[in-house]
Amino acid sequence: GSMSGVLDLNLTSLRDTELAKVIGEKKERIAQESAVTRVAEKAEQLKAMNKPIITTCGYNDVYVCCTDVFSAKCRELDIPHIKILSPGKHSWPYWGFALEQHLWHFQKIMNGDNLGY
């Protein structure tokens, strides 16, 4: 699951200042390390698991575009995923709310309960 995730590293303003500390100096690694790229590389494995990925983000969050891009890639590749957008921004109050949503979904997934599909 991802809460307010920077799922496409190309879309973060930190790409030019902080990213090198995490992935090194080679700019081509930005695309390689992005979840959008990784989900495409692992598409067949993810589909075979038949367990959805959950992404949540506040629609006032600076990274909501990453959630949208990631979800579009999952739809393109037919990877099961749940995308929840709700009021909120990149903040602790939002993440407390989102964590409850994730845990609810994880419990349903683990129990094999109906998720509507």
Side-chain angles (χ1 to χ4, degrees):
S2 170
M3 299 184 302
S4 300
V6 184
L7 300 169
D8 186 338
L9 297 177
N10 286 303
L11 299 178
T12 178
S13 61
L14 301 176
R15 138 186 98 253
D16 297 324
T17 58
E18 301 299 319
L19 219 42
K21 295 175 189 174
V22 179
I23 65 171
E25 295 295 328
K26 294 183 179 181
K27 296 288 185 188
E28 62 270 14
R29 288 200 57 209
I30 292 173
Q32 293 169 346
E33 299 298 332
S34 290
V36 173
T37 303
R38 296 289 177 128
V39 79
E41 292 170 353
K42 304 289 184 186
E44 294 308 313
Q45 293 170 326
L46 292 166
K47 286 191 267 190
M49 289 174 32
N50 199 31
K51 303 276 189 236
I53 298 168
I54 180 170
T55 61
T56 58
C57 199
Y59 47 73
N60 294 41
D61 190 311
V62 66
Y63 294 118
V64 71
C65 57
C66 293
T67 300
D68 290 338
V69 168
F70 182 82
S71 177
K73 181 57 78 173
C74 287
R75 283 193 314 276
E76 173 189 326
L77 298 170
D78 201 27
I79 296 171
H81 71 290
I82 297 166
K83 171 180 145 182
I84 300 172
L85 298 180
S86 58
K89 54 186 178 181
H90 207 75
S91 66
W92 286 109
Y94 175 78
W95 297 323
F97 166 75
L99 180 59
E100 291 175 5
Q101 290 184 10
H102 280 246
L103 293 175
W104 183 86
H105 280 88
F106 293 155
Q107 182 178 16
K108 299 276 271 183
I109 292 165
M110 296 300 292
N111 291 337
D113 293 341
N114 178 14
L115 288 169
Y117 67 93

